[in-house]
Amino acid sequence: MSEAKTEPTPSLEAVRQRIDALDTELLRLVDERASLARIVAQAKRAAGAGDKFALRPARETQILRRLIACERTAASPSLIVRIWRELIGDSLSVQGPFHINVWGGKDPARAVELARHRFGAAPPLRQLAKPEDAIAQARTLGGVAVCAITPDNAWWGRLLAEPEVKVFATLPCLAAWGPMSALAVAAVDVEPTGDDRTFWVTDAAGPASAVEDALSRDGVAADLVVEANGLKLFMLAGFYQRNDQRLARAPGRLSGIIGAAPAPLDV
C-alpha cells in the first residue's frame, strides 16, 4: 500500500509573511468599516436623528450571534466578541455622544474590566462612588451606567420609578468569562432578540423560592439574582412586556420589569 502524502509544514518565515499579508488586509477592512461609521453619522444628521443615542443592543447581539455561528477553524467566541465589541464601540463613539459610568461596589477593578470588554476602549469611562450617580449619567445623551450586583445595595429597585432608563445588558456577555456580576443601564429601546432574560423586581415578603414557585405555576421560569433592602431581583427566562398579566398576578405590592438583556452569547 502506498503511504498517504502529507503536506509539508511551511517554514516559520513563510508563516510570518502570511501573517503580515493578512494584517495588511485586516487593516484595510477595519479602516473601511470605520469610514462607514462616519457615513452613518452623516446620514442620521441629515435625517434629523443626529441627537439620538446610536446604541442598539438587539442589533449588536444579532451581529455577534451571526458571526459566532459562522463556520471557522480556530477563532474562539471570545476572540470574535472582543474584536467586534471594539469595532462597534468605536463606531458608536463616532456617531455621537457615548460615555460609560461605572459603580463597581467592592470590586471596582472587575466592573471596569467588564465595562471595557462590553463597550470597548473608545468611549470615555468614569468610576463613580454611588450607583445613583452612575444612573444619573445614564439619563444623559449617550450615557451608559454599569453597576455591580451586590447583596448590600438595591440600586436596581430605583429603576421601577424610571421606566425610560432600562437594563439592556448583563456583564459579562460570555459565560466563559465568569458569572453575571453587573448590569448595564441606559435610556435606549430594549427589543427582543430571540433568546433573552427579563429582569423583574418585587417587594414580596418571604423566601425567594415561594415567589419562584408562584411564577412557575403561571408558566414563568424565574431565578433569584439578588436580594437587598427588602427587594428581590429575579431573572425571567424570555422577553416579557411590562403589562404581562402573569407578572401582575405575582406576589408583591411593589413590582415591575426594569429591562431585559440577551442571554450569554456562548450558551
Side-chain angles (χ1 to χ4, degrees):
M1 295 179 61
S2 60
E3 294 184 1
K5 293 182 179 180
T6 59
E7 293 293 329
T9 302
S11 68
L12 182 57
E13 182 60 27
V15 174
R16 286 172 174 167
Q17 289 177 0
R18 178 59 178 158
I19 290 174
D20 289 345
L22 288 173
D23 284 345
T24 300
E25 180 63 11
L26 283 171
L27 176 59
R28 185 189 68 79
L29 293 172
V30 168
D31 187 56
E32 181 181 355
R33 193 186 195 283
S35 69
L36 291 175
R38 288 169 172 78
I39 295 173
V40 168
Q42 293 170 1
K44 287 183 176 180
R45 286 193 292 269
D51 59 345
K52 294 183 179 180
F53 192 11
L55 179 65
R56 295 182 59 194
R59 165 69 174 158
E60 293 180 13
T61 298
Q62 291 162 356
I63 290 172
L64 289 168
R65 284 179 181 164
R66 178 179 62 81
L67 293 170
I68 290 173
C70 288
E71 184 177 351
R72 59 190 191 278
T73 59
S76 67
S78 178
L79 177 61
I80 293 168
V81 170
R82 288 298 302 276
I83 290 173
W84 263 268
R85 286 297 190 202
E86 290 291 345
L87 292 172
I88 292 170
D90 185 77
S91 176
L92 287 173
S93 68
V94 168
Q95 294 180 47
F98 184 26
H99 52 98
I100 312 300
N101 308 274
V102 179
W103 176 75
K106 295 180 179 179
D107 193 357
R110 174 60 172 165
V112 169
E113 177 188 33
L114 292 175
R116 283 305 187 199
H117 282 176
R118 177 59 178 78
F119 300 104
L125 183 150
R126 292 194 302 168
Q127 296 187 65
L128 298 170
K130 300 178 181 179
E132 297 88 346
D133 296 337
I135 293 171
Q137 288 299 313
R139 300 188 196 105
T140 66
L141 180 60
V144 171
V146 171
C147 296
I149 300 170
T150 67
D152 58 353
N153 194 304
W155 61 264
W156 31 268
R158 299 181 180 91
L159 300 184
L160 288 173
E162 300 190 54
E164 73 281 0
V165 181
K166 312 173 190 70
V167 172
F168 70 89
T170 61
L171 282 70
C173 62
L174 288 175
W177 291 351
M180 179 177 63
S181 57
L183 298 173
V185 177
V188 295
D189 292 332
V190 176
E191 302 169 312
T193 69
D195 187 7
D196 302 283
R197 306 292 182 265
T198 299
F199 290 89
W200 179 73
V201 176
T202 181
D203 65 351
S209 59
V211 179
E212 292 171 355
D213 289 343
L215 288 167
S216 177
R217 288 192 294 272
D218 220 352
V220 179
D223 291 298
L224 180 70
V225 176
V226 66
E227 183 173 1
N229 306 123
L231 295 175
K232 298 178 178 67
L233 174 63
F234 288 91
M235 185 169 64
L236 315 180
F239 189 91
Y240 287 82
Q241 302 290 344
R242 290 180 181 272
N243 59 354
D244 193 293
Q245 290 303 303
R246 291 168 293 181
L247 301 181
R249 292 191 292 266
R253 293 177 300 174
L254 176 67
S255 64
I257 289 172
I258 60 169
L265 292 163
D266 55 343
V267 170

